[in-house]
Amino acid sequence: MSSFIIYPAIDIRGGKCVRLVQGDYNQETVYNDSPLAAAKAWEEQGGQFIHLVDLDGAKAGHPVNDEVIGQIASQLNVPVQVGGGLRTLADVERLLSLGVSRVIIGTAAIEDREFTERVLGQYGDKVAIGIDAREGYVATRGWLETSEVKADELAKELAAKGAETFIFTDISRDGMMQGPNVEAIVSLAQASGRTVIASGGVTQLDDLVALSKHHGDGIGGAIVGKALYTGNIDLREAVAKLG
């Protein structure tokens, strides 16, 4: 793998590959009836690590699309990371048993610190902490609620508890094709001293180039969703340029 990794995003809702605008379940576009077919396509085009989000799970508070996730994890030759509704140790263990390489803890990192610290202690680098922020404050429950916890402070606290990887999303940029909030991403990486994967707002190849320039600051890669599906970014070209 290259030092800066591009993560094609597949958001699963109702068994289909969809995209939401700013996490709004009422603003949905279906891009592929088969998330597995989408995953295979991204792998064929050079995808090095696939990012899956169980949108139904994020809303329900527990994983919902296990069957589809298991198919993708078992049939691809590249690693898969999954987020969405992971709030119990049993959920984490089940997804890892399906062949998932890394699970993403989001809402629980705020609402259930004991669980989060236990998972970090038990699974270490198989766990990423997903921090979704709105104006610097952490949002939870599929972005439906905003907490009073600052993103940088949460990252710093969890890094001290063993978190090695963070996935940072600026909700205001997600799905809006406005470019990533590089300053906020670098800030989180510096506050935590850990690897941060950028998410939200990546619109064109130049956005990925700009993020990759901060690899030394701790930005390890970027999740790309809508821009791949609309053709704004060609995955093969991006991997070749940044690989």
Side-chain angles (χ1 to χ4, degrees):
M1 287 189 182
S2 65
S3 55
F4 186 87
I5 300 169
I6 300 167
Y7 296 78
I10 297 174
D11 292 359
I12 305 168
R13 187 181 186 203
K16 297 181 179 181
C17 172
V18 308
R19 295 298 293 167
L20 306 182
V21 176
Q22 294 189 316
D24 186 344
Y25 284 74
N26 294 315
Q27 296 190 63
E28 174 188 278
T29 301
V30 176
Y31 281 110
N32 198 317
D33 286 338
S34 169
L36 175 59
K40 286 183 173 179
W42 295 137
E43 180 183 26
E44 288 169 10
Q45 291 175 46
Q48 302 157 298
F49 210 125
I50 306 299
H51 175 78
L52 304 178
V53 179
D54 183 345
L55 288 174
D56 297 305
K59 202 168 188 179
H62 58 84
V64 172
N65 290 288
D66 288 21
E67 185 177 349
V68 174
I69 290 165
Q71 288 173 352
I72 293 171
S74 62
Q75 294 188 41
L76 262 59
N77 296 310
V78 296
V80 170
Q81 64 183 20
V82 179
L86 288 163
R87 295 177 198 161
T88 70
L89 202 56
D91 290 338
V92 170
E93 290 170 345
R94 189 170 68 256
L95 284 182
L96 291 173
S97 74
L98 292 174
V100 170
S101 296
R102 186 157 64 204
V103 296
I104 302 160
I105 306 298
T107 293
I110 284 283
E111 298 186 354
D112 191 342
R113 190 61 64 87
E114 184 181 349
F115 157 72
T116 303
E117 292 179 11
R118 188 176 172 194
V119 171
L120 286 171
Q122 197 159 331
Y123 293 106
D125 61 4
K126 292 180 184 286
V127 179
I129 301 296
I131 296 183
D132 304 330
R134 185 182 281 114
E135 296 180 359
Y137 289 87
V138 178
T140 61
R141 299 191 174 275
W143 301 351
L144 300 176
E145 298 176 14
T146 304
S147 72
E148 295 180 357
V149 178
K150 287 189 174 180
D152 286 4
E153 290 175 4
L154 176 65
K156 194 172 182 178
E157 289 174 17
L158 291 177
K161 298 296 183 181
E164 294 292 335
T165 305
F166 293 93
I167 297 172
F168 178 72
T169 306
D170 182 337
I171 297 172
S172 67
R173 304 294 182 101
D174 189 75
M176 301 303 290
M177 307 290 278
Q178 293 175 348
N181 187 340
V182 178
E183 185 180 350
I185 300 161
V186 170
S187 176
L188 193 90
Q190 291 175 337
S192 65
R194 300 291 187 269
T195 299
V196 176
I197 300 168
S199 175
V202 174
T203 304
Q204 54 193 351
L205 185 54
D206 285 349
D207 293 331
L208 291 172
V209 172
L211 287 166
S212 69
K213 288 178 180 176
H214 292 278
H215 185 260
D217 293 319
I219 300 183
I223 293 165
V224 187
K226 188 176 181 180
L228 289 176
Y229 292 95
T230 59
N232 274 40
I233 293 177
D234 181 279
L235 184 58
R236 280 196 181 91
E237 180 188 359
V239 171
K241 181 151 189 168
L242 298 171

